[in-house]
Amino acid sequence: DAGVTQSPTHLIKTRGQQVTLRCSPKSGHDTVSWYQQALGQGPQFIFQYYEEEERQRGNFPDRFSGHQFPNYSSELNVNALLLGDSALYLCASSAPVRGLVWETQYFGPGTRLLVL
Amino acid sequence: GENVEQHPSTLSVQEGDSAVIKCTYSDSASNYFPWYKQELGKGPQLIIDIRSNVGEKKDQRIAVTLNKTAKHFSLHITETQPEDSAVYFCAAFNTDKLIFGTGTRLQVFP
């Protein structure tokens, strides 16, 4: 049973460029959440996708956007990259239980983004 | 919004000793508390979790306790081994998202 997969593993971009990161959820999961983890810190919630819609968003600017496909995979797009966007970007998948509660989340290995 | 504090930031123990990591949360509406282990270059791995209707949960050498009144929860690792060395994160589930602590770097010396 494949876990959460992410691509690419590493990425180097320059300021002002745009980047797209990809995530495939764990088998049987239909919900994808994205997190940003700066060096030495805990993950920070960016947004969550369910049924191809953004259903929850953290405190991130509109430069961060996403998409979910019918097969539940997801993309994270970041426009106009800043130096401060350098971080590990994590994808987590989950499945709603007891109605619509997305508690247990399983993380992928992440994509390390470096903005120069 | 919810805020999760985690202590200590670093913890060094001798192999075989116990390790305890403590977290506090601010919002009494939080109702699910997972713990993650993150090894270098990898994503966080869920190691144990507890829901607000339970006070304690154990899985082999790992246990988690929750004090809802005090808004505290703790991770206990017994008989530590060198492979337990990693960064551990606590989190609280609040308004449909996980709020993470700042992490504890655990080093287990042989």
Side-chain angles (χ1 to χ4, degrees):
Chain A
D1 177 23
V4 180
T5 60
Q6 292 187 243
S7 63
T9 55
H10 295 84
L11 208 50
I12 300 175
K13 293 285 187 178
T14 56
R15 278 180 299 173
Q17 285 190 311
Q18 178 263 343
V19 68
T20 298
L21 311 181
R22 295 175 177 81
C23 171
S24 290
K26 185 178 168 67
S27 177
H29 287 183
D30 57 7
T31 304
V32 172
S33 302
W34 286 93
Y35 292 79
Q36 180 195 66
Q37 186 177 24
L39 205 59
Q41 297 185 20
Q44 300 277 322
F45 176 78
I46 303 175
F47 43 53
Q48 183 182 78
Y49 276 84
Y50 171 67
E51 291 187 340
E52 302 180 48
E53 300 266 341
E54 182 184 295
R55 64 172 300 278
Q56 183 80 242
R57 188 178 184 94
N59 190 25
F60 279 79
D62 291 345
R63 297 187 297 108
F64 290 77
S65 63
H67 188 78
Q68 185 178 36
F69 300 93
N71 67 353
Y72 310 125
S73 66
S74 176
E75 288 182 349
L76 164 66
N77 301 292
V78 187
N79 294 323
L81 284 167
L82 304 174
L83 295 180
D85 294 333
S86 295
L88 180 68
Y89 288 85
L90 295 162
C91 166
S93 76
S94 54
V97 293
R98 301 193 304 281
L100 293 175
V101 181
W102 288 262
E103 294 174 338
T104 308
Q105 300 189 13
Y106 297 90
F107 283 83
T111 293
R112 186 160 296 283
L113 173 65
L114 179 61
V115 182
L116 301 176
Chain B
E2 173 65 283
N3 182 50
V4 177
E5 294 190 357
Q6 183 172 347
H7 300 280
S9 56
T10 60
L11 181 59
S12 296
V13 299
Q14 204 73 33
E15 183 178 358
D17 287 349
S18 295
V20 180
I21 302 171
K22 299 182 179 182
C23 290
T24 61
Y25 60 99
S26 60
D27 190 345
S28 56
S30 295
N31 58 6
Y32 169 72
F33 306 91
W35 286 87
Y36 289 87
K37 175 184 180 183
Q38 188 171 28
E39 296 174 299
L40 196 62
K42 297 185 178 180
Q45 174 195 1
L46 179 67
I47 56 172
I48 196 167
D49 55 13
I50 191 167
R51 289 184 169 78
S52 58
N53 59 348
V54 175
E56 184 173 356
K57 182 177 179 181
K58 191 173 180 180
D59 182 4
Q60 298 182 353
R61 298 186 295 109
I62 295 174
V64 57
T65 58
L66 172 64
N67 182 328
K68 278 180 7 180
T69 305
K71 300 197 191 82
H72 289 173
F73 58 114
S74 300
L75 177 71
H76 304 253
I77 306 175
T78 58
E79 300 172 27
T80 53
Q81 302 168 1
E83 51 265 40
D84 293 330
S85 296
V87 179
Y88 290 81
F89 290 97
C90 62
F93 187 74
N94 184 282
T95 55
D96 291 343
K97 57 185 177 289
L98 289 174
I99 309 298
F100 283 83
T102 49
T104 296
R105 181 172 299 279
L106 173 64
Q107 287 186 300
V108 180
F109 293 98

